[in-house]
């Protein structure tokens, strides 16, 4: 563990500082280019009037030189030609202003470029670089427990540093054969249900925390492996009134006029082999118009021809919070199912006699919704090693996630 974490830490540091050097070089190159462009702009704008002044002066000198040669030629000619040439020379000289020059900018108005470079930047960078990064030997949070769920794992973690005040936690996972971890949860809770995991496959998990008011994350916990042996819950395909997600764990009541109960693909809610059975969770994501026949629950077997789970050999809760056991409504009632509700079924086996002697089979059922629960005994005439789950909705818009 020490060697592996040390090797990983070296790799992280080398990669980080390599990326940092590349980024700093890019930023310095961009700044240099910006300053050079600024020099070019000032140079072009400042030299333009001086170039125009120089052109005017050179043009005037050239004109005067041509006139001078023309005057010399007029003086050197014979008398007849002299009068004509002198006359032309005089007219031309009167139209040329040889005593005026363009305005030349004063010396104080002419820019003189220079680079102003403050060496204190190196001091600031040096101080920041020497304080950048830390190496920690003990993470403030550690993974605590893995609980198998159908097609997933409930991961719990805890603080091991009492002086550390956590603002957020960050959970990552990967298949044991994969090279990179990926984020699966960031938040303030200390547990998270990781779904869509393949059964009988090892996954590695790690968690870190962010201190209160801090931006950087703490060191990662020691990676730990977990797996689930339970196959994921899936809805049955092919029922006209419902549309399913690609993983078949989300059912959406569509606008088809067809009614009926949507059952699980298989009896994947196990009971009877252990004393306590964990939960089947129905996460209500969106809701439609309620109806008294609407229901969420578990049953012994699939029975077609019904439009509700409010029947024999089934326990369920309706969207108005009524609880039904074998088709009979209980006096106790739970809060109505609304958007964001979670309904939990928890069952514990209580047997009233050996099944092979015809004795009754009793399940102690706990249904929870919105921080309230009802507990009752569900008596069956047969042993049930596993149960189906199901739902029925009369109107479109209901969307149910099961896990």
């Amino acid at each position: 563990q020490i060697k592996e974490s040390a090797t990983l830490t070296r790799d992280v540091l080398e990669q980080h500082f390599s990326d940092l050097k590349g980024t700093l070089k890019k930023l310095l190159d961009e700044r240099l280019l910006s300053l050079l462009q600024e020099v070019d702009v000032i140079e072009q704008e400042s030299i333009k009037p001086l170039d125009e002044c120089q052109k005017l002066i050179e043009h005037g000198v050239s004109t005067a030189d041509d006139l001078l040669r023309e005057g010399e030629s007029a003086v050197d000619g014979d008398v007849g030609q002299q009068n004509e040439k002198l006359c032309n020379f005089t007219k031309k000289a009167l139209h040329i202003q040889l005593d005026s020059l363009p305005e030349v900018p004063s010396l104080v108005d002419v820019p003189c470029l220079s680079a102003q470079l403050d060496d204190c930047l190196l001091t600031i960078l040096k101080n920041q670089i020497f304080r950048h990064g830390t190496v920690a030997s003990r993470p403030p949070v550690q993974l605590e427990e893995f609980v198998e769920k159908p097609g997933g794992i409930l991961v719990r973690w805890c603080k091991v540093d009492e002086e550390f005040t956590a603002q957020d936690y960050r959970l990552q996972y990967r298949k044991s054969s994969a090279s990179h971890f990926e984020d699966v949860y960031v938040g303030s809770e200390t547990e998270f249900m990781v779904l869509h995991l393949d059964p009988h496959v090892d996954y590695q998990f790690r968690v870190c925390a962010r201190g209160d008011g801090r931006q950087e994350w703490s060191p990662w916990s020691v990676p730990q492996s977990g797996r689930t042996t339970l196959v994921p819950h899936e809805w049955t395909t092919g029922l006209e009134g419902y549309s399913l997600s690609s993983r078949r764990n989300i059912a959406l009541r569509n606008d088809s006029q067809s009614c009926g109960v949507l059952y699980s693909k298989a009896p994947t809610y196990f009971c009877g082999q252990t004393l306590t059975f964990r939960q089947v969770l129905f996460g209500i994501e969106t809701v439609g118009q309620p109806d008294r026949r609407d229901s969420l629950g578990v049953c012994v077997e699939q029975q077609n021809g019904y439009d509700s789970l409010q029947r024999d050999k089934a326990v369920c809760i309706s969207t108005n919070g009524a609880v039904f056991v074998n088709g009979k409504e209980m006096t106790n009632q739970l809060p109505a199912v609304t958007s964001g509700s979670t309904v939990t079924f928890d069952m514990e086996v209580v047997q009233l006699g050996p099944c092979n002697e015809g004795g009754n089979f009793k399940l102690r059922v706990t249904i929870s919704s919105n921080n309230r629960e009802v507990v009752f005994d569900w008596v069956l005439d047969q042993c049930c090693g596993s149960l189906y789950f199901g739902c029925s909705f009369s109107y479109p818009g209901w969307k149910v996630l099961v896990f």
Side-chain angles (χ1 to χ4, degrees):
Q1 175 180 318
I2 295 176
K3 290 185 177 180
E4 182 180 353
S5 62
T7 300
L8 179 62
T9 301
R10 291 189 190 96
D11 293 341
V12 169
L13 289 171
E14 290 174 356
Q15 183 63 48
H16 174 77
F17 277 86
S18 175
D19 295 342
L20 197 60
K21 285 190 288 185
T23 303
L24 286 174
K25 183 180 184 304
K26 181 180 178 181
L27 293 173
L28 289 172
D29 289 342
E30 290 177 354
R31 181 56 179 163
L32 173 61
L33 179 61
S34 175
L35 291 172
L36 291 176
Q37 290 175 341
E38 189 175 342
V39 171
D40 293 340
V41 170
I42 296 175
E43 181 185 24
Q44 292 173 5
E45 292 179 349
S46 303
I47 205 70
K48 185 178 179 179
L50 294 176
D51 286 341
E52 292 175 351
C53 182
Q54 181 178 359
K55 289 179 182 179
L56 289 173
I57 293 174
E58 289 176 351
H59 177 72
V61 171
S62 176
T63 302
D65 189 49
D66 292 341
L67 187 63
L68 178 62
R69 285 195 295 269
E70 188 174 339
E72 290 176 350
S73 175
V75 173
D76 294 339
D78 54 39
V79 176
Q81 291 178 337
Q82 278 182 350
N83 291 332
E84 183 179 355
K85 289 182 177 180
L86 286 173
C87 182
N88 292 333
F89 171 79
T90 302
K91 291 180 180 180
K92 193 172 184 179
L94 290 174
H95 288 86
I96 298 177
Q97 296 180 348
L98 297 178
D99 58 348
S100 64
L101 289 174
E103 182 180 359
V104 179
S106 62
L107 188 61
V108 295
D109 294 331
V110 178
C112 181
L113 280 71
S114 63
Q116 305 299 312
L117 302 174
D118 193 347
D119 291 338
C120 71
L121 175 63
L122 294 176
T123 303
I124 296 173
L125 287 176
K126 181 179 178 181
N127 293 334
Q128 292 293 328
I129 289 172
F130 283 152
R131 290 198 301 265
H132 180 67
T134 57
V135 176
S137 60
R138 296 186 183 277
V141 290
Q142 290 286 4
L143 295 168
E144 184 179 32
E145 184 181 16
F146 298 113
V147 181
E148 285 188 76
K149 295 292 181 179
I153 299 176
L154 177 62
V155 182
R156 294 192 175 105
W157 55 88
C158 63
K159 286 198 310 175
V160 293
D161 184 353
E162 294 300 327
E163 297 181 358
F164 182 84
T165 302
Q167 174 179 303
D168 291 305
Y169 298 98
R170 181 181 179 188
L171 178 66
Q172 290 189 337
Y173 85 117
R174 69 178 179 185
K175 278 188 176 181
S176 294
S177 58
S179 57
H180 297 290
F181 283 90
E182 60 181 271
D183 286 341
V184 68
Y185 173 76
V186 175
S188 59
E189 301 295 328
T190 55
E191 66 177 35
F192 183 74
M193 175 78 75
V194 183
L195 295 174
H196 312 317
L197 302 182
D198 297 326
H200 307 287
V201 173
D202 288 330
Y203 290 85
Q204 282 194 325
F205 299 86
R206 65 181 185 181
V207 67
C208 65
R210 181 161 50 196
D212 191 18
R214 305 292 293 268
Q215 293 296 322
E216 67 275 8
W217 292 99
S218 74
W220 290 105
S221 65
V222 178
Q224 295 188 40
S225 295
R227 64 159 53 190
T228 179
T229 59
L230 305 177
V231 296
H233 290 316
E234 294 182 10
W235 297 104
T236 299
T237 59
L239 189 61
E240 186 178 348
Y242 294 87
S243 304
L244 305 183
S245 64
S246 59
R247 291 184 176 269
R248 296 180 292 278
N249 62 340
I250 299 177
L252 172 65
R253 180 65 169 94
N254 55 39
D255 55 6
S256 171
Q257 297 300 316
S258 175
C259 293
V261 178
L262 178 65
Y263 293 102
S264 57
K265 179 181 178 181
T268 51
Y269 182 49
F270 292 97
C271 59
Q273 300 301 318
T274 59
L275 294 176
T276 303
F277 289 82
R278 298 292 181 181
Q279 306 151 345
V280 176
L281 301 173
F282 298 88
I284 311 302
E285 296 192 347
T286 60
V287 297
Q289 180 181 346
D291 186 275
R292 63 179 182 81
R293 296 168 297 174
D294 294 346
S295 52
L296 292 165
V298 295
C299 56
V300 175
E301 58 192 6
Q302 296 179 345
Q303 292 185 12
N304 298 322
Y306 289 90
D307 61 0
S308 175
L309 277 176
Q310 299 166 18
R311 60 167 176 81
D312 189 35
K313 295 185 179 181
V315 293
C316 65
I317 176 176
S318 68
T319 51
N320 63 8
V323 177
F324 292 84
V325 182
N326 291 332
K328 296 180 180 180
E329 184 175 354
M330 298 182 61
T331 55
N332 294 336
Q333 186 164 332
L334 292 169
V337 176
T338 59
S339 179
S341 294
T342 297
V343 179
T344 303
F345 288 77
D346 190 6
M347 299 190 183
E348 179 182 356
V349 177
V350 181
Q351 189 169 314
L352 298 181
C355 289
N356 55 13
E357 296 179 4
N360 290 328
F361 186 74
K362 181 189 295 185
L363 294 176
R364 184 152 296 157
V365 182
T366 302
I367 305 178
S368 302
S369 177
N370 292 334
N371 297 320
R372 288 180 57 187
E373 65 180 30
V374 294
V375 182
F376 56 90
D377 288 341
W378 181 23
V379 180
L380 300 169
D381 58 4
Q382 65 188 72
C383 290
C384 295
S386 57
L387 296 168
Y388 291 87
F389 56 85
C391 70
S392 61
F393 299 102
S394 300
Y395 298 100
W398 292 90
K399 188 177 182 182
V400 182
L401 167 68
V402 58
F403 58 93

